[in-house]
Amino acid sequence: MIAKTTQFKQMLTSNQLEFILEAHDGLSAKIVEETGFKGIWGSGLAISAALGVRDNNEASWTQVLDVAEFMSDATNIPIMLDSDTGYGNFNNVRRLVKKLEQRKIAAMCIEDKLFPKTNSFINGEAQELAKIDEFSGKIKAAKDTQEDPDFCVVARIEAFIAGWGLSEALKRAEAYHKAGADALLVHSKKNTAEDIFEFMKEWKDTCPVVIVPTMYYNTPTDEFQDCGVSLVIWANHLLRARIKAMQHTATQIYKDRALTSVENEIVSVKEVFRLQNADELKKAEKVYLPSQQ
Ligand code: SPV
Ligand code: MG
């Protein structure tokens, strides 16, 4: 089997548009894989929300890493972990890269904000950006630390989010590319893709570009392909689907004081066992457990 890192690098550098979908635990990661996606976005927003905390580094980096490990163990496709700002300075990034590689996480994405970060869609313009040379040092430190040459470091530019515009975004893109980033994630909170199109017109195919169309979800996907984007992240849609489904089912059971009306709307217990690969354990017991009289 091709290494997860190599799979991810091939997606980034292929000349067709590729897609990864958010997951926030082992189960959702497995569902992403089964559906046919070639990769998984380990979303900081979704992982923290699933843990019941805010997207402000309230979950510690090792708590996030534990979730990523369950996701990685449950799947055979690459995961790019949203590693926020790298949880500190260059030295914290070095340690993080080591731990990600040990857990077979294929790629990390770090963003040029300050620790503790805030989600980009909350008061983005009030958010201070990291200094370009300090953030470039983090990218270089990550690239110098990785042992697998195909491990990918994606540098996320928050210039549009913070209201700095195209020239600042391009300045940062140049610097992060020079520091060794395998790709740039250009983030935007507009409800059209104009920031992305402006950026791509100037940047062309200097290096792969990753986007997150959460707010500009109405833009036809072909337009991303046409402007030269490499990878699209559908960033939080399983989390949001899960919340809606849980709210609906919880309300129904509460109102009915009975299970009849929800039974056919939810998966069977058997389906839960299938996703957990319960059959494998049954087979292993036949091999390893002493047989009963
Ligand atoms: C995430 O999914 O955690 C992201 C993307 O970082 S966003 O929420 O759009 O900032
Ligand atoms: Mg995030």
Side-chain angles (χ1 to χ4, degrees):
M1 207 183 65
I2 305 171
K4 288 177 178 180
T5 49
T6 311
Q7 291 179 45
F8 189 82
K9 192 157 217 173
Q10 285 174 356
M11 283 177 80
L12 261 191
T13 53
S14 81
N15 44 28
Q16 69 194 53
L17 186 62
E18 306 278 4
F19 305 90
I20 61 177
L21 178 63
E22 165 261 322
H24 48 271
D25 56 16
L27 178 65
S28 52
K30 190 147 186 181
I31 288 171
V32 173
E33 178 175 36
E34 275 194 356
T35 305
F37 282 94
K38 289 198 231 165
I40 297 166
W41 169 240
S43 157
L45 171 64
I47 291 171
S48 49
L51 292 172
V53 296
R54 289 171 286 225
D55 191 13
N56 293 70
N57 297 120
E58 290 185 343
S60 72
W61 76 276
T62 54
Q63 288 172 324
V64 173
L65 194 66
D66 282 346
V67 175
E69 182 173 354
F70 275 105
M71 289 166 59
S72 184
D73 287 349
T75 52
N76 296 299
I77 55 172
I79 298 170
M80 169 157 61
L81 185 68
D82 175 0
S83 306
D84 292 345
T85 59
Y87 314 106
N89 73 1
F90 82 92
N91 192 42
N92 304 88
V93 168
R94 292 196 302 187
R95 180 140 177 93
L96 178 65
V97 169
K98 248 189 180 169
K99 294 289 136 187
L100 293 179
E101 287 200 289
Q102 286 169 0
R103 284 154 182 77
K104 297 197 163 45
I105 308 295
M108 73 171 351
C109 178
I110 48 174
E111 62 196 49
D112 56 359
K113 292 204 299 237
L114 304 184
F115 180 90
K117 54 70 63 82
T118 300
N119 186 270
S120 300
F121 301 138
I122 299 176
N123 208 6
E125 254 138 68
Q127 296 188 32
E128 215 180 313
L129 298 186
K131 295 218 161 56
I132 294 180
D133 53 356
E134 191 263 343
F135 192 72
S136 300
K138 281 185 184 175
I139 296 166
K140 188 165 183 333
K143 294 307 293 177
D144 287 346
T145 302
Q146 71 185 60
E147 286 181 10
D148 179 337
D150 287 344
F151 180 85
C152 286
V153 176
V154 176
R156 166 164 159 182
I157 297 170
E158 291 281 290
F160 287 120
I161 297 288
W164 284 88
L166 180 63
S167 63
E168 182 69 20
L170 286 167
K171 198 163 102 186
R172 287 172 178 267
E174 283 292 351
Y176 304 163
H177 175 54
K178 226 171 97 191
D182 296 281
L184 303 172
L185 189 161
V186 181
H187 206 8
S188 170
K189 60 185 176 187
K190 294 211 176 113
N191 62 10
T192 71
E194 66 180 292
D195 288 341
I196 306 303
F197 295 150
E198 269 183 21
F199 181 90
M200 291 309 296
K201 218 169 119 197
E202 299 295 324
W203 189 249
K204 302 195 170 73
D205 58 357
T206 314
C207 79
V209 170
V210 182
I211 60 166
V212 184
T214 303
M215 293 300 169
Y216 46 98
Y217 58 84
N218 271 324
T219 306
T221 300
D222 284 351
E223 295 184 21
F224 302 143
Q225 165 102 39
D226 295 345
C227 77
V229 165
S230 295
L231 181 68
V232 169
I233 300 177
W234 311 123
N236 47 45
H237 300 80
L238 292 192
L239 174 84
R240 288 160 63 190
R242 172 187 162 185
I243 292 172
K244 185 154 192 169
M246 290 195 297
Q247 286 171 333
H248 173 76
T249 302
T251 304
Q252 202 63 42
I253 294 172
Y254 181 77
K255 276 199 211 147
D256 294 353
R257 307 203 314 158
L259 300 174
T260 320
S261 71
V262 301
E263 184 60 29
N264 290 323
E265 291 185 6
I266 57 179
V267 299
S268 62
V269 175
K270 216 169 126 192
E271 172 64 357
V272 178
F273 295 153
R274 185 192 67 78
L275 283 158
Q276 291 173 304
N277 203 9
D279 276 353
E280 189 278 334
L281 180 55
K282 248 192 262 166
K283 282 183 203 137
E285 282 170 353
K286 286 209 180 88
V287 178
Y288 301 115
L289 276 184
S291 56
Q292 313 261 320
Q293 294 292 333

